[in-house]
Amino acid sequence: MATFLGIDVGTSSVKAILVDENQRLIAEGSASVGVMRPRPMWSEQNPEDWWNAAHAAVGRIRELAASDFLELQAIGLSGQQHSATLLDGHGSVLRPAILWNDGRCGRECAELLERIPDFFARASNTTMPGFTAPKLLWVARHEPELFAKVAKVLLPKDYLRYRLSGDYVSDRSDAAGTLWLDIGRREWDDVLLQGGGMKHSQMPDLVEGSEVSAFLSTEVAALWGLTGRKIPIAGGGGDNASSAVGIGAVSPGDGFLSLGTSGVLFVSTDRLVSLPERTLHGFCHALPQRWHGMVVALSAASALSWLGALTGHGHDVAGLIEKAKIFASDPARRDAAPLFLPYLAGERTPHNDPNATAKFDGLRAEHDAGALAYAVLEGVAFALADGLDVLKAASAAPRTCMLVGGGSRSAYWNGLLADVLDLSLDLPEGAEIGAAFGAARLAMLAGGAGTIETVCRKPAIRARFEPDRGNAAALAGRRERYLHMYSPAG
């Protein structure tokens, strides 16, 4: 039976999965990668580590399912967005990749807006240090001799594609996160490139995520025991777009809420959505003629982990959530709970303020770990409601929404989120596979194993969380107080 490989280049690991033509998971493998932080606010990785980790992850699959791997028909790629990998004219890496969570280039973000007066209209997004374009301005300013050698700029999964095939190609969903793409036209924008000191020739070619982008080189095919085989590599997608493909969020109004380190609210659209002044990310989807809107709360499950470490629940976050549930079961105590502003790492949507800080308000002596835990769960939900308001303002609110990510394991938190967002939330089966599964689906499409409708179907629903209208009034009053807690630094 034909098989398909999905590889996701994450920040902490590279994951690979092998599925058959019925999308049954056959085998998976992963290998960790380290992050270097040589200076404050810097975050870098060695691109060679991505290649080594991918080779190790695929090697594990070959060990577990050798005969199935020999039936490989296509490969799909996914990866962390925005991270800048710089190559010279010989394809050699010039410096460690500057990652999406690197914060060094705030000055260059402001400079881009000065250089390109109609930046918002062209890029459909605002500038922030995480994106790719300001990183290259930083390199031009601080490492000019190295900048002069830059022949290609690749995103992480596209560097892996280069190592697999020898070709420089990206897909439009990942390219949308560079600030060099005309999102509506789905092509590189020469004005954005020139304003950032870049040239069209330094960009990879563009394809849709479900199209064939390249073929596995004869050298890698031999390395993987596939000598003589011509294996297509799909365009692939950025990690969030790939996750959306993996859970079938591909039609207008389909959304997902990801509760990971950060919180992401994503919705698929049939048009470009743009509200850069409120930090809405309007990007291309990984499928043709589809776009998506995305809002981000920088601290989600990480806020709960932070509180767990402070209160002695570092290895028992589930127990901490249970204490929150018990505390909030008394409406009077819940209404008098402290409020929490979850800006432990600054905030993205709607403030785009890296200097924003977290705080508790209304803290009293009677408040225990359960009260603090409830405040954190509720505060993250309020932050995501801020993001939902932005999507509503852009006429892009989700009509359906699935829950993914580690935080979605808590039924209590899922219910609280449904109440705060006033939105039905579905917990799907198998959501933990995530972006790598979406990449495998894109491989199936590129390999001709079905259509978008047959391949990108929604998974079975494990549980549905409906809003409890009885909690609406109390939560609305608390959120009104929450909205007054943030004030810009300075």
Side-chain angles (χ1 to χ4, degrees), residues 28 58 99 137 150 198 243 249 333 349 454:
E28 59 185 308
V58 172
L99 300 190
L137 275 183
V150 174
M198 305 301 295
S243 293
R333 287 198 301 174
T349 309
T454 60

Coordinates of all heavy atoms in Angstrom, one line a residue, residues 28 58 99 137 150 198 243 249 333 349 454:
E28 N 6.2 6.7 13.6 CA 6.7 8.1 13.8 C 8.0 8.1 14.4 O 8.4 7.1 15.1 CB 5.7 8.9 14.6 CG 5.4 8.3 16.0 CD 4.3 9.1 16.7 OE1 4.4 10.3 16.7 OE2 3.3 8.5 17.2
V58 N 13.5 10.1 10.4 CA 13.2 9.2 9.3 C 13.9 7.9 9.5 O 13.3 6.8 9.2 CB 13.6 9.9 7.9 CG1 13.4 8.9 6.8 CG2 12.8 11.1 7.7
L99 N 15.8 32.9 14.8 CA 14.6 32.2 15.0 C 13.4 33.2 15.1 O 13.6 34.4 15.4 CB 14.6 31.2 16.2 CG 15.6 30.1 16.1 CD1 15.3 29.1 17.3 CD2 15.6 29.4 14.8
L137 N 17.4 43.1 7.8 CA 17.9 44.5 8.1 C 18.9 44.5 9.2 O 19.9 45.3 9.1 CB 16.7 45.4 8.4 CG 16.0 46.0 7.2 CD1 14.9 47.0 7.7 CD2 16.9 46.8 6.3
V150 N 24.9 37.0 1.0 CA 23.7 36.3 1.1 C 23.1 36.1 -0.4 O 22.9 37.1 -1.1 CB 22.6 37.0 1.9 CG1 21.3 36.3 1.8 CG2 23.1 37.1 3.4
M198 N 16.5 43.8 0.0 CA 16.7 42.5 -0.6 C 16.3 42.5 -2.1 O 15.8 43.5 -2.6 CB 15.7 41.5 0.1 CG 15.9 41.4 1.6 SD 17.6 40.9 2.1 CE 17.6 39.2 1.4
S243 N -1.0 22.5 10.5 CA -1.9 21.9 11.5 C -3.4 22.0 11.1 O -4.2 21.1 11.3 CB -1.7 22.7 12.8 OG -0.4 22.4 13.3
A249 N -9.3 22.0 8.8 CA -9.7 23.4 8.8 C -9.3 24.1 7.5 O -8.4 24.9 7.5 CB -9.2 24.1 10.1
R333 N -17.0 32.8 45.6 CA -15.6 32.8 45.6 C -15.0 33.1 44.2 O -14.1 33.9 44.0 CB -15.0 31.4 46.1 CG -15.2 31.2 47.6 CD -14.2 30.1 48.1 NE -14.5 28.9 47.4 CZ -13.7 27.8 47.6 NH1 -12.6 27.9 48.4 NH2 -14.0 26.7 46.9
T349 N -1.3 39.9 20.0 CA -2.6 40.4 19.7 C -3.4 40.7 21.0 O -3.4 39.9 21.9 CB -3.5 39.3 18.9 OG1 -2.7 38.8 17.8 CG2 -4.8 39.9 18.4
T454 N -11.4 15.0 -0.2 CA -11.3 13.6 0.3 C -10.1 13.4 1.2 O -10.2 12.6 2.2 CB -11.1 12.6 -0.9 OG1 -9.9 12.9 -1.6 CG2 -12.3 12.6 -1.8

